[in-house]
Amino acid sequence: MWDYSDKVKEHFLNPRNVGDIKDADAVGEVGSLACGDALKLFIKLDDKKERILNATFQTFGCGSAIASSSALTEMIKGKTLDEALQITNKEIADFLGGLPEEKMHCSVMGQEALEVAIAKFRGVKVELHDHEHAEQGGEIVCKCFGLTDQFLKKVIAANKLHTAEQVTHFTKAGGGCGGCIPRIKEIIAEVLGEKPQEEHKRPGKLTNLRKMQLIQDVLEKEIKPQLWADGGDLELIDIAGNAVQIAFRKACAGCASSGFTAKFVEQKLRDLVSDDISVEEVEE
Amino acid sequence: MKEVYLDNNATTKVDEAVFEEMRPYFCELYGNPSSMHFFGGQVQKKVDEARNRVAVLLGALPEEIIFSACGTESDNTAIRSALEIFPEKRHIITTRVEHPAVLTMCRNLAKRGYRVTELNVDNEGRIDLGELKRAIDDDTVVVSIMYANNETGVIFPIEEIGAIVKEKGALFHTDAVQAVGKIPLNMARSTIDMLSLSGHKLHAPKGIGALYLRKGVPFRPFLVGGHQEKNRRAGTENTASIIALGKACELAANFIEDENTRVRSMRDLLEKELLDLIPNGRINGGKAERLPNTLSIAFEFVEGEAILLLLSEHGICASSGSACTSGSLEPSHVLRAMGVPFTCAHGSIRFSLSRFNTEADIELVIRELPPIIRRLRELSPFGREFLSA
């Protein structure tokens, strides 16, 4: 069960400002049935068309999506449009006494609907988080939820996100098939001004000593972590020229597919160190 | 607030009689069954009795029962064992709707070079035996197909599947965690080689399971070490829980009739009333043969977590195939495999009953759920369109 704050529960059970405004000045719609949540925000302005007199919402979604929508409408009432635009998703979450990190995307959805509504009212283009956005020329990063690079960059920067998992919690990106997670990592690196970790590049000609060092390096950094993920392990027994002798440990030892694993190790070493490497499994 | 517990496919209440049976084996009769002294020996006798009770429920021999820590361990053990027995065979068959205890394992094996076929299901959650026949070949080492689905209750034709598997000489494993105690089983006349069961789904405690292993089927243990369970599962026996599982199986045999009559009619009543009272509801797997206790019902234009939270306000405990409840972002793999329409995939609720439920429980849901769905539809932009149409 989610650890929702009392205020989230309260806004979910007694949501404020539900419904529509017939003569609304601005309407913002984000999300869809397929995505699992959607929000339609209605805004009524004063005569000067500057200050928000009233705001209502309709939300399809989970408890925190409904609470976030309710909070948003309460927060923007009485604010000018420019003031309202300053509201961040974090402020929506804070208003509710915080949201579980996995649910932060609900606060992002609220902030987005507000932006869309105001942009539409002002007749300016908006960086939509929507499938429609492809038409506007952005790069669709997450195909499952139709999310663009601009949108992700904005959320990453605003919330100082460091991991792909956080990006998923805040935007849903990567939460479907997961195919875009490598791209999300690149985008995080771009936004945070970090260079993506350099991948192992295959070197040119090698001395024997350098080759042995490289083999050990690749085994430690590239291969073992993958085996660990499956509960396995290996040990380097010997390196004689291009012949690498390994022994499998843990789940790999006696595993029916260890022959296949040995092939995988060999291919990886050939790719990253040298074409002439052969790998042999030994019993010590 | 008193709970109205309708989430028995997730876990069940420990039967008081089961608890009483296990109670002495903590502070008083705490001996190790492997010990040579009388004090351990008397525990050994109770463990033997429990093994016998489990065997009786399954129509199996006592030596065909291996106690484990959970359904997941039994599933993992069965599949791993098959692969080790036939290292030259590289093909595994399972289904897209398996429990993660099987599916995750198979997908990990696929990454390590095994060929894995995940059989599809139709809109009602049924598999096509023709697809199985086309998929199975001489390279197939094990077929692991659940007896009944935990989310929808849909029952697979296990003996027909087993006959196809046997013809090709592969091993047949079934995860029967949801079926044991609800469907009469008789291993003496079955095609099943290995069957997993879990204690906490049938009113025994969490942390105890068993693997049925047909006599004569070769086996490699998952846990190695001591000689417990005839060298098939090392580790000191969880004696109190084993004794509890034995008692729970004995009781299950007595209540299997009740599950299929009284419990089934309560489930059917709940299903009928909810469909009558709530427009645009849909039973997941409604046309398939299903467990007597399970109702998976989807409502258009609303989201499952919100339904559960509002039900919870009335003490009603159910679960959902919706994304938001699990922390994942997509609806359950089972509902997706069944092609449940996207308008209601996020609005699925599972009620799973047990012998401890009463008509009053069902009446409470019938009274409280329709206004909850209406309220959430009024909140939802799509629901409002639907209501005004």
Side-chain angles (χ1 to χ4, degrees):
Chain A
M1 184 155 193
W2 297 112
D3 187 15
Y4 284 138
S5 71
D6 289 343
K7 199 144 183 207
V8 171
K9 284 182 210 157
E10 208 272 317
H11 272 265
F12 165 63
L13 292 174
N14 305 296
R16 327 291 197 268
N17 314 310
V18 175
D20 53 8
I21 299 175
K22 292 278 177 267
D23 56 346
D25 292 294
V27 178
E29 265 185 277
V30 290
S32 73
L33 263 175
C35 288
D37 47 22
L39 165 57
K40 195 168 180 182
L41 178 70
F42 299 81
I43 292 174
K44 178 70 188 163
L45 299 172
D46 64 2
D47 292 340
K48 289 190 209 156
K49 303 293 176 198
E50 273 172 12
R51 200 168 284 278
I52 297 171
L53 282 183
N54 193 17
T56 65
F57 78 93
Q58 295 166 11
T59 290
F60 158 74
C62 58
S64 55
I66 290 167
S68 296
S69 310
S70 170
L72 171 72
T73 54
E74 286 288 276
M75 290 167 78
I76 61 174
K77 276 202 259 180
K79 286 198 165 61
T80 66
L81 290 180
D82 286 332
E83 285 165 357
L85 275 179
Q86 298 303 310
I87 293 173
T88 64
N89 69 283
K90 188 171 178 305
E91 284 167 349
I92 298 173
D94 289 347
F95 180 90
L96 289 167
L99 285 172
E101 187 173 284
E102 292 87 343
K103 294 287 190 173
M104 283 301 286
H105 59 86
C106 296
S107 66
V108 173
M109 180 168 79
Q111 198 269 337
E112 245 191 304
L114 175 65
E115 242 182 57
V116 170
I118 295 176
K120 273 192 169 170
F121 169 72
R122 290 178 166 170
V124 294
K125 271 195 173 181
V126 65
E127 284 168 10
L128 268 186
H129 140 216
D130 210 346
H131 295 276
E132 296 159 27
H133 191 57
E135 294 157 22
Q136 301 181 17
E139 176 205 352
I140 296 278
V141 176
C142 173
K143 293 188 178 67
C144 298
F145 291 105
L147 304 173
T148 63
D149 55 342
Q150 289 107 310
F151 171 72
L152 296 181
K153 281 177 188 167
K154 203 181 75 182
V155 178
I156 290 166
N159 293 284
K160 299 191 176 58
L161 307 181
H162 287 274
T163 66
E165 195 183 18
Q166 284 178 318
V167 174
T168 304
H169 292 155
F170 277 68
T171 66
K172 294 187 166 192
C177 72
C180 61
I181 289 173
R183 178 70 186 119
I184 292 174
K185 287 181 179 162
E186 286 173 17
I187 293 175
I188 295 171
E190 262 174 62
V191 173
L192 300 180
E194 293 163 6
K195 282 188 181 162
Q197 240 188 345
E198 270 195 39
E199 287 194 12
H200 264 282
K201 289 269 167 8
R202 208 169 101 172
K205 202 164 162 36
L206 291 168
T207 64
N208 261 344
L209 181 64
R210 183 77 191 111
K211 187 184 273 181
M212 283 165 82
Q213 284 172 335
L214 259 180
I215 288 169
Q216 290 187 40
D217 210 35
V218 170
L219 284 174
E220 290 301 323
K221 291 192 182 137
E222 300 281 329
I223 294 171
K224 283 190 181 182
Q226 295 200 39
L227 301 183
W228 295 338
D230 287 328
D233 202 358
L234 66 72
E235 198 177 317
L236 177 63
I237 303 296
D238 199 5
I239 303 173
N242 289 320
V244 178
Q245 294 187 333
I246 55 170
F248 286 113
R249 299 278 181 257
K250 296 190 188 165
C252 293
C255 169
S257 56
S258 65
F260 174 79
T261 312
K263 278 278 167 236
F264 156 78
V265 174
E266 183 172 273
Q267 195 53 52
K268 201 87 187 166
L269 288 173
R270 284 180 181 177
D271 289 348
L272 297 176
V273 184
S274 169
D275 275 332
D276 41 20
I277 285 178
S278 67
V279 168
E280 186 193 354
E281 188 188 345
V282 294
E283 303 255 328
E284 290 183 59
Chain B
M1 185 165 41
K2 179 83 184 91
E3 83 280 5
V4 171
Y5 191 77
L6 295 164
D7 200 9
N8 287 280
N9 287 10
T11 194
T12 60
K13 167 192 160 87
V14 175
D15 193 301
E16 307 271 345
V18 168
F19 183 60
E20 286 311 316
E21 188 91 3
M22 77 189 288
R23 185 202 284 273
Y25 294 88
F26 291 99
C27 299
E28 297 148 44
L29 303 171
Y30 52 82
N32 187 326
S34 299
S35 298
M36 279 302 121
H37 43 68
F38 78 97
F39 193 61
Q42 61 195 10
V43 181
Q44 179 66 53
K45 285 205 180 69
K46 276 301 279 190
V47 169
D48 288 343
E49 181 193 58
R51 196 184 309 281
N52 205 40
R53 285 170 164 176
V54 176
V56 167
L57 180 65
L58 300 183
L61 303 169
E63 63 264 34
E64 292 177 321
I65 306 301
I66 303 168
F67 291 113
S68 69
C70 52
T72 297
E73 187 196 321
S74 299
D75 288 338
N76 276 239
T77 302
I79 294 170
R80 270 174 187 278
S81 169
L83 302 185
E84 288 192 30
I85 295 291
F86 298 107
E88 70 287 357
K89 294 190 178 188
R90 311 290 298 170
H91 181 222
I92 301 165
I93 298 178
T94 185
T95 74
R96 285 181 64 193
V97 298
E98 283 314 293
H99 189 276
V102 168
L103 203 51
T104 304
M105 174 153 203
C106 289
R107 288 179 181 172
N108 286 351
L109 288 163
K111 282 186 210 151
R112 296 171 66 164
Y114 280 90
R115 195 155 56 85
V116 175
T117 302
E118 293 178 13
L119 299 176
N120 293 299
V121 295
D122 66 10
N123 295 138
E124 298 295 330
R126 296 171 294 209
I127 56 170
D128 169 13
L129 292 178
E131 191 187 355
L132 171 63
K133 283 183 194 158
R134 289 189 293 279
I136 195 165
D137 58 30
D138 294 334
D139 194 37
T140 307
V141 47
V142 62
V143 176
S144 180
I145 294 181
M146 66 201 326
Y147 212 118
N149 187 271
N150 47 311
E151 291 190 30
T152 59
V154 170
I155 299 169
F156 286 143
I158 286 299
E159 293 305 335
E160 288 171 59
I161 293 168
I164 296 167
V165 176
K166 290 296 98 185
E167 209 173 291
K168 279 288 174 189
L171 289 173
F172 181 35
H173 166 252
T174 185
D175 176 339
V177 161
Q178 298 292 349
V180 174
K182 295 174 198 140
I183 300 173
L185 298 172
N186 185 6
M187 292 301 113
R189 297 175 59 185
S190 170
T191 51
I192 297 166
D193 292 313
M194 294 177 280
L195 173 146
S196 303
L197 68 91
S198 171
H200 76 108
K201 309 287 193 198
L202 65 153
H203 308 291
K206 295 152 189 73
I208 184 70
L211 176 66
Y212 160 85
L213 173 69
R214 177 172 298 284
K215 197 175 175 180
V217 169
F219 180 75
R220 293 279 182 285
F222 181 32
L223 286 185
V224 293
H227 54 79
Q228 293 88 353
E229 301 295 293
K230 295 192 198 301
N231 293 313
R232 296 174 302 182
R233 202 272 190 182
T236 300
E237 297 88 340
N238 183 356
T239 50
S241 291
I242 287 172
I243 291 160
L245 177 61
K247 184 66 183 175
C249 285
E250 187 187 68
L251 291 174
N254 299 337
F255 280 102
I256 209 162
E257 168 92 24
D258 186 57
E259 289 276 352
N260 285 282
T261 51
R262 191 182 61 91
V263 173
R264 181 188 293 274
S265 68
M266 285 194 291
R267 189 275 310 267
D268 290 348
L269 175 71
L270 180 63
E271 176 172 318
K272 182 185 169 301
E273 289 293 318
L274 293 181
L275 284 178
D276 283 355
L277 292 168
I278 305 171
N280 288 46
R282 178 183 188 284
I283 307 301
N284 297 317
K287 296 199 181 83
E289 196 192 344
R290 276 178 302 154
L291 292 173
N293 77 321
T294 307
L295 169 61
S296 173
I297 184 165
F299 302 105
E300 282 192 303
F301 317 118
V302 288
E303 197 280 327
E305 184 203 287
I307 303 171
L308 292 184
L309 291 173
L310 291 173
L311 281 173
S312 185
E313 288 294 302
H314 298 281
I316 299 167
C317 309
S319 80
S320 157
S322 113
C324 283
T325 52
S326 59
S328 86
L329 292 167
E330 296 213 325
S332 90
H333 69 287
V334 175
L335 300 182
R336 275 185 287 151
M338 290 167 70
V340 171
F342 73 95
T343 50
C344 57
H346 291 277
S348 279
I349 298 292
R350 179 189 71 188
F351 296 101
S352 45
L353 286 62
S354 82
R355 61 179 187 251
F356 291 106
N357 287 118
T358 63
E359 293 248 353
D361 297 342
I362 303 307
E363 282 160 14
L364 183 72
V365 179
I366 292 169
R367 192 168 68 237
E368 299 301 343
L369 187 55
I372 287 173
I373 301 296
R374 181 160 184 97
R375 171 176 170 183
L376 289 173
R377 282 179 175 165
E378 280 167 359
L379 258 175
S380 150
F382 314 111
R384 288 172 83 96
E385 273 176 43
F386 162 72
L387 290 173
S388 63

